[in-house]
Amino acid sequence: MSAGERYRTAHHEAGHSVMAYLLGRPVGPVSIRPCEVHLGVSFHTKARIPEQQLRQLGKPAILLPAQFRRACETEAVICLAGPEAEGVAVTTAEGGCYVDEHSPDHARAEELVTTLVEAGLTGEETVMLERAERERGSSDEEKAHFWSETAGYGAPVVETFAHLSWLRTLTRNRVLSPWFQRLEYTLAPRLLEAEVLGGRAVRQILRAADRPPIRRGTS
């Protein structure tokens, strides 16, 4: 793996871990040591959804059990954080940004959103409910972005595309935040140095970077 690939992979896997950490998922080992299948890999604990909540499916997505919906959306955002963090890091280092929208991470995020959409109703009424929720508090530019690519599709496809677009915007904004960047740019160099970090080491690094800086007074 070239130096450039190692740099991209370190920020990619750091992005997954940092997002999992910020969303309250216990993070596990992270590796940028390439294998036959992946250039790198990161682990975190998945949410467990009670069986009684799974029996409540068949409702509009915004009326689904909160834990089920939150689990799908959280996993999707963690998936999207890797390529988004990599894209931002490449932009910073090389001046050009490219996020592969056909990556396995994007495919997994789309699969999760599809699961969420198909668990509920897929009529036009559901689309309007979803749209109203997504647009709440959004700027006109964000609203246009959410819906610019969905015209002409049927309701289930509109729901999936629009919800995925919303999650991508949410992920990108979080990745660009100073808080996320501070954690990512603390973890990624440690990955470049060690190649493999255990879960305890990753948690220690992120917790240390997450502490507010000490402000010393002047006398």
Side-chain angles (χ1 to χ4, degrees), residues 60-62 117 120-132 134 147 150-159:
I62 62 171
V117 169
L121 304 178
T122 54
E124 289 294 339
E125 182 179 0
T126 304
V127 175
M128 296 309 295
L129 286 169
E130 285 283 331
R131 176 172 182 170
R134 266 189 298 270
W147 298 97
T150 61
Y153 291 97
V157 180
V158 168
E159 284 190 70

Side-chain angles (χ1 to χ4, degrees), residues 38-61:
H38 303 291
L39 293 178
V41 64
S42 61
F43 296 92
H44 64 276
T45 301
K46 305 293 192 298
R48 293 184 178 181
I49 304 170
E51 183 66 27
Q52 61 268 28
Q53 290 206 3
L54 293 178
R55 298 194 192 106
Q56 299 178 37
L57 305 185
K59 300 178 180 180

Side-chain angles (χ1 to χ4, degrees), residues 20-194:
Y21 170 82
L22 293 178
L23 293 178
R25 296 289 173 83
V27 295
V30 185
S31 170
I32 61 168
R33 188 172 292 166
C35 63
E36 293 182 1
V37 181
H38 303 291
L39 293 178
V41 64
S42 61
F43 296 92
H44 64 276
T45 301
K46 305 293 192 298
R48 293 184 178 181
I49 304 170
E51 183 66 27
Q52 61 268 28
Q53 290 206 3
L54 293 178
R55 298 194 192 106
Q56 299 178 37
L57 305 185
K59 300 178 180 180
I62 62 171
L63 301 179
L64 289 172
Q67 191 171 358
F68 172 77
R69 182 178 181 184
R70 186 163 55 247
C72 290
E73 292 179 339
T74 297
E75 285 300 318
V77 168
I78 293 171
C79 286
L80 295 170
E84 291 293 342
E86 177 185 344
V88 172
V90 171
T91 301
T92 303
E94 302 176 9
C97 180
Y98 174 72
V99 176
D100 182 8
E101 296 184 9
H102 302 288
S103 68
D105 289 319
H106 281 86
R108 175 58 178 157
E110 184 173 351
E111 178 185 347
L112 288 161
V113 173
T114 300
T115 298
L116 179 61
V117 169
E118 290 181 350
L121 304 178
T122 54
E124 289 294 339
E125 182 179 0
T126 304
V127 175
M128 296 309 295
L129 286 169
E130 285 283 331
R131 176 172 182 170
E133 184 191 59
R134 266 189 298 270
E135 290 188 347
R136 188 181 298 119
S138 302
S139 67
D140 291 339
E141 182 179 352
E142 288 173 329
K143 293 176 186 177
H145 174 73
F146 295 156
W147 298 97
S148 62
E149 299 179 355
T150 61
Y153 291 97
V157 180
V158 168
E159 284 190 70
T160 300
F161 278 22
H163 206 91
L164 189 60
S165 176
W166 171 61
L167 290 176
R168 285 193 61 190
T169 301
L170 180 71
T171 304
R172 186 176 297 113
N173 288 341
R174 177 61 69 90
V175 167
L176 289 170
S177 70
W179 188 11
F180 191 102
Q181 291 285 294
R182 182 173 74 250
L183 300 184
E184 178 192 340
Y185 276 84
T186 300
L187 180 58
R190 298 289 295 273
L191 278 171
L192 286 169
E193 179 182 351

